Amino acid sequence: MSLANGRSYLAIPGPSVIPEAVLQAIHRSSPNIYEGELVDMMPPLLADLRAVAHTDQNVALYIANGHGAWEAALANMAGPGDTVLVAATGQFAHGWAAMAETLGIKAEIIEFGTQSPIDPMRISDALRADTARQIKAVLVTHVDTSTSIKNDIKAARDAIDAADHPALLAVDCIASLGCDRFEMDVWGVDVMVAASQKGLMVPPGLAFVYFNEKAAEQQHALKRVSSYWNWQPRVNAEVFYQYFCGTAPTLNLYGLRTALDMIKAEGIDAIWTRHKVLAQSIWAAVECWGSGAGQMRMNVQNPQHRSHAVTSLHLGAPDGKNLRRWVEHEAGLTLGIGLGMSTPEDPNGDGFFRFGHMGHVNAQMIMGLLGTVEAGLCALDIPHGSGAVEAAARVMASAS
Ligand SMILES: *Cc1c(COP(=O)(O)O)cnc(C)c1O
């Protein structure tokens, strides 16, 4: 007998749970795109987007997903024949690098594997070796959603400065923005990419490229920039259509407006703390499950290097896959699949899975997730240590 009927819960690392208020804001008749409310909405919307990233710099908007944000950023930072240095801590860094190659930009990859964060020394070394100054940008993923590794972005900045290299620091915050602490200006980030469907709690379809004056100046040196991806007209829009180089994503903008109101009301610092406590509750539970005969393990050993938005896990194959199936079909909870942790032929690949806990999630949702996983472990006779839900409860209780 399935117990899945009722409100389902998509606990994958994006798209994330959308607040009712955001859904209701989107549910409306099409607004005028030439004058009135929608047009007037833009300046404060941009100001609030800047606040989420702790920056006073520019933010360009695109109708796109995260991949679109990647391409937009690359198109404004480098041209064919240029090089970008990619510090890879998971599949998403490799995705951004592959996209650079398709644009004729050489991607020099420093591989850090799937369980360790970046080592800034290796970034400095690679930049020092670039005496011809062909590297235009260093690409770093703040949180790699496949491995759930969180990188120290300030350390990446210091590594570039230590090498006295002019390359821009470009950061992928698609998974982390609105979940993990991020301070664009204080940390010295030149370019940052984000998308609407993760920590920002809006359906997929809006992408954001933040950039500072240094990045704007470097763009002027490019021979040509695609008119669609060019960030300049989008941040200097004199007419409304220029914000999106065409028709605006009208209804998504209403959703974003409401999401930003919610973020403002809670406060970005409080949001970072909420995600931290919820993540720590999950870690406490997983440690219990993995004790004794239990096989469940977190991918990232050092808590300092763990994301607060997503947790990558391993449970021997095929238990990981069976657990995902059970919680989805029997209990209405969908967990994330493992991504980039094994090759397709690897028989252990089915052991990897992920909890998404980004955006509009609270304590009772996380307790529901943990309790449901516990039920799945029991139902499938998967060996696990006891006390997981109580351990999570104690973390939440001591934070309140
Ligand atoms: C989700 C994600 C992407 C890709 O975003 P899409 O919207 O799926 O194109 C890129 N980078 C990171 C870190 C992500 O979490």
Side-chain angles (χ1 to χ4, degrees):
M1 187 199 67
S2 170
L3 301 173
N5 285 324
R7 179 162 293 200
S8 62
Y9 177 10
L10 185 67
I12 69 173
S16 64
V17 172
I18 302 171
E20 290 299 318
V22 170
L23 292 172
Q24 281 159 15
I26 292 170
H27 192 122
R28 66 174 63 222
S29 315
S30 287
N32 186 348
I33 58 166
Y34 299 108
E35 58 185 20
E37 192 177 67
L38 185 66
V39 176
D40 299 340
M41 212 177 195
M42 291 307 289
L45 193 83
L46 297 177
D48 292 341
L49 278 171
R50 283 193 279 269
V52 172
H54 273 215
T55 182
D56 295 328
Q57 302 294 332
N58 306 287
V59 53
L61 279 61
Y62 297 85
I63 295 186
N65 56 18
H67 284 68
W70 279 348
E71 180 152 342
L74 288 166
N76 286 284
M77 293 192 297
D82 290 335
T83 300
V84 290
L85 183 66
V86 183
T89 54
Q91 172 157 319
F92 287 91
H94 288 282
W96 204 1
M99 182 169 273
E101 294 278 351
T102 68
L103 295 171
I105 301 163
K106 190 172 170 295
E108 184 181 328
I109 296 173
I110 312 180
E111 180 60 64
F112 295 101
T114 56
Q115 290 187 302
S116 322
I118 58 166
D119 172 359
M121 293 286 281
R122 287 180 61 195
I123 294 178
S124 293
D125 291 346
L127 291 173
R128 282 197 193 96
D130 176 40
T131 48
R133 297 290 192 246
Q134 272 162 341
I135 296 172
K136 298 301 171 202
V138 178
L139 313 188
V140 184
T141 310
H142 185 206
V143 164
D144 199 295
T145 323
S146 59
T147 57
S148 69
I149 290 167
K150 177 164 66 188
N151 287 307
D152 182 343
I153 299 304
K154 179 72 173 64
R157 169 82 269 161
D158 293 343
I160 299 172
D161 293 347
D164 199 17
H165 195 289
L168 300 172
L169 173 58
V171 181
D172 176 344
C173 287
I174 296 171
S176 58
L177 192 68
C179 307
D180 281 283
R181 170 175 288 276
F182 179 79
E183 300 183 61
M184 177 162 172
D185 294 353
V186 172
W187 293 356
V189 174
D190 300 306
V191 174
M192 185 271 273
V193 298
S196 54
Q197 78 274 21
K198 300 192 180 175
L200 298 181
M201 314 179 286
V202 179
L206 279 168
F208 311 100
V209 179
Y210 292 72
F211 63 96
N212 65 12
E213 285 314 308
K214 183 180 172 197
E217 266 170 43
Q218 180 168 312
Q219 190 233 38
H220 296 316
L222 292 175
K223 280 204 193 72
R224 63 180 75 85
V225 179
S226 132
S227 67
Y228 186 76
W229 292 125
N230 194 341
W231 59 31
Q232 278 303 339
R234 292 172 187 256
V235 300
N236 296 308
E238 282 164 13
V239 189
F240 182 67
Y241 83 88
Q242 292 176 317
Y243 282 113
F244 291 95
C245 193
T247 305
T250 50
L251 303 182
N252 298 52
L253 288 174
Y254 278 92
L256 179 63
R257 178 62 270 161
T258 297
L260 290 169
D261 287 342
M262 292 173 69
I263 289 171
K264 236 173 154 172
E266 184 177 357
I268 191 69
D269 288 277
I271 290 173
W272 289 334
T273 304
R274 170 165 55 85
H275 281 88
K276 180 176 164 189
V277 173
L278 296 178
Q280 287 172 338
S281 316
I282 290 170
W283 305 342
V286 174
E287 257 158 40
C288 289
W289 284 326
S291 64
Q295 296 295 308
M296 201 187 292
R297 300 281 180 271
M298 273 172 284
N299 182 51
V300 184
Q301 293 316 308
N302 183 343
Q304 300 275 3
H305 304 149
R306 287 182 197 148
S307 159
H308 296 163
V310 50
T311 301
S312 295
L313 299 148
H314 185 263
L315 183 66
D319 287 346
K321 185 177 182 177
N322 291 342
L323 179 65
R324 273 197 302 106
R325 292 260 156 88
W326 191 92
V327 299
E328 178 158 24
H329 296 133
E330 305 299 325
L333 169 69
T334 304
L335 303 178
I337 59 168
L339 212 56
M341 299 301 288
S342 62
T343 57
E345 311 80 55
D346 183 352
N348 294 317
D350 282 346
F352 295 97
F353 62 104
R354 294 173 297 161
F355 295 158
H357 37 99
M358 45 181 54
H360 194 56
V361 286
N362 59 19
Q364 60 91 10
M365 293 164 76
I366 296 302
M367 289 309 266
L369 179 151
L370 297 173
T372 305
V373 168
E374 174 107 24
L377 293 169
C378 292
L380 297 169
D381 280 328
I382 298 173
H384 59 280
S386 61
V389 173
E390 181 170 352
R394 288 194 184 285
V395 173
M396 291 178 185
S398 64
S400 66

